[in-house]
Amino acid sequence: MTPSGNFSLHGSTAVIYLNNPPVNGLGHALRVELATHLKSAMQNPAVHAVVITGAGKMFCGGADIKAFNTPMSRAEPSSRSIIESIESGSKPVIAAIHGNALGLGLEFAMGCHYRVAAPGARLGLPEVKLGLLPGGGGTQRLPRLVGAEAALRMITTGDPVESAEAFALGLVDEVIEGDLVTGAVAFAERLAGMTGHPVTSQMPAKVSPAGSDMAAFFAKQRAAWDQKKRGFPAPRECLACVEAAYRLPFAEGLKFERERFDVLVNGVESKAMRHLFFAERAAAKVDGVPADTEQRAIEQVAILGAGTMGAGIAMGFANAGFRVLLLEVKPEALERGLVNIRKNYASTVSKGKLAQAEADRRMALIEGTLQYESIAQADIVIEAVFEDMGVKRDVFEKLDAICKPGAILATNTSRLNVDTIAEVTARPQDVIGLHFFSPANVMRLVEVVRGKASSPVVIATSMALVRKIGKLPVIVGVCDGFVGNRMVSHYAREAEFLLEEGCTPQQVDSALQTFGMAMGRFAMSDLAGLDIGWASRKRLAPTRPQHLRYSRVADRICEMGRFGQKTGAGYYRYEAGNRTPIPDPEIDALIASCSAEAGIERRAITDEEIVERTMYALINEGAKILEEGVAQRASDIDLIYVNGYGFPAWRGGPMFLADTIGLDKVYAKVQEFHAKHGDYWLPSPLLKRLAESGKTFARPE
Ligand code: NAI
């Protein structure tokens, strides 16, 4: 469309369309066009009011994120100067919102005199999710319209509100049923002859409830934030800016907001979070599977095994409205699984996070069965039975015999070879891995494991299905542990070695938590259960290279019957009904005896060494995974780590961390560890090549 196509006159109301697909981002070209149309509307005596709306699916999705940290983001006409021209103009300007008004889109709308919205439109300031704050006046205008409490909630969570709520809050002046532009023009006509249209920046910040002590309110909010997350400066800065709306005149508040925004936008947190934002979009692209690949319809889902994972996966699908058949071999196991699911929903209901009727509706979607025949018509079967190759191959043989042609046969194995499972069927093209993370009804990540025969249709359908249930699919290839668990083995290995060399579990855990991991390595193992790793070590023992060092600490702990929280003891001990890890002198003694047996003299180890040994082990293995093509791109590995393993989002993932540190420095350390600690540290050839040529994982070419 030509610029003039985005401007039309409806009687004496000018209608301007923001037209910049796909989300009408307020990039420089669009701002130039908007400013031009606004100017001509202001100068045209036949125009008494202006409606600004979005072309296509939405009002405006926000700023152009790619232009952040570039001069173009503030090139004139800036959004700020466009708003100033609206506020100082004599004609009322109405933002007519449908779809989304997010970020700068909403900030711009708040700079208009009025806002009207279509039912179901979403209005929000999601900047905090990118480690930023709304830097286009949002922190100053929103509290003027809706008050501190609602403004803080919207700005520090980044979650949008829908039209009806926006209307109740005072953010929107009218919700328009029917055609939005027609309704907005009618709204504009009712303003004819009126003067003194509301200018948000000239209003006082709204005190609600009236008469509240705002200083005390903010002091309380600040104290609450200090107890929350480490490492995330953005929410605190959002709070400081909203507070400034009450402390400072508008222009000074705007200046304060700009300063705080600039600090954040240049900080590593926001760069990391923007990296993850783009990583999620890139992850949707799968080599050899074009975006227009045909997909199979999925309505009936079957899940095999009602254990920890099967039950969680069933809930994940029921939550998204799918019918689920849950198959078990033993009636008592089925009963236990269904009881666990019911309990889980009941607890969400009791916390007020889910309506009873909705919980009942979801529960009713899950049907238990003990008959393989009953899943014959399922469109997809997800196997979550014991982690044992023999058992899985038996199960897949049965599935092959029973399931209808075209059914997708998926395994939730966390480490086993998907190709070895697929080969027992006559339809390996329909077999794929869907590796969910525990608890599966909560965790967003799913590794989609592409077997050598998995067809593009099956891959495309699986990726889309995972997205449909609100999760994040990342494609990976076949190898022991795929991407996440393969890498975590190296991280875990170094953590064990550090114990033998002089650390306590609590020292390792505290260093990793200070670094930003959601949990320390050993507290995490106790939570997940130590028996799983023990079984896999026993399985892999015959293939373990004998010349490489092996720590006996974990095996010895398991030999004592300590499997973590479920047995009340693991690396730590636990008191009944309490999940707090308590350091245990018995474990300290066991570790010391392991050191002695291995002939290792215990030494003092710094937190820096703990972080470097564990993180560089991840990075070096990540580089090998990348080189082998098991992961398609470095940013996929980052997504896996951040969404599946509690890696701090504000550090962007292990590969982004490596790029931030500098690959030359990382490579030098890996070489040093190789010399000191042996062949586990064989440097990845890719890491070496990139380091020596001054490249990064993000831009390897
Ligand atoms: P679990 O032991 O809690 O549950 C397995 C269930 O499968 C049991 O209820 C058992 O009765 C049932 N079962 C066994 N053979 C069956 C058959 N032939 N047909 C139907 N049901 C059968 O195990 P969990 O932890 O749920 O693990 C299941 C799978 O998920 C394993 O492959 C595991 O590696 C994988 N996984 C586990 C994760 C975890 O954190 N626990 C994370 C990601 C994957």
Side-chain angles (χ1 to χ4, degrees), residues 660-683:
T660 315
I661 296 168
L663 295 191
D664 51 342
K665 293 202 189 74
V666 174
Y667 177 54
K669 264 287 171 201
V670 169
Q671 281 180 303
E672 181 192 320
F673 290 153
H674 184 208
K676 249 192 230 164
H677 302 292
D679 275 352
Y680 280 123
W681 283 98
L682 266 178

Side-chain angles (χ1 to χ4, degrees), residues 305 307-309 328 372 384-385 387 392 395 412 414 435-436 438:
T308 317
M309 291 308 288
E328 261 289 346
Y372 263 85
V385 306
E387 183 77 339
K392 302 235 190 239
V395 164
N412 179 49
S414 38
H435 179 211
F436 287 78
S438 180

Side-chain angles (χ1 to χ4, degrees), residues 540-562:
L540 294 172
T543 57
R544 193 172 66 232
Q546 289 308 307
H547 69 289
L548 290 177
R549 177 178 164 190
Y550 182 76
S551 165
R552 285 264 300 133
V553 173
D555 292 348
R556 291 270 299 271
I557 293 179
C558 289
E559 284 158 17
M560 292 164 79
R562 298 175 65 130

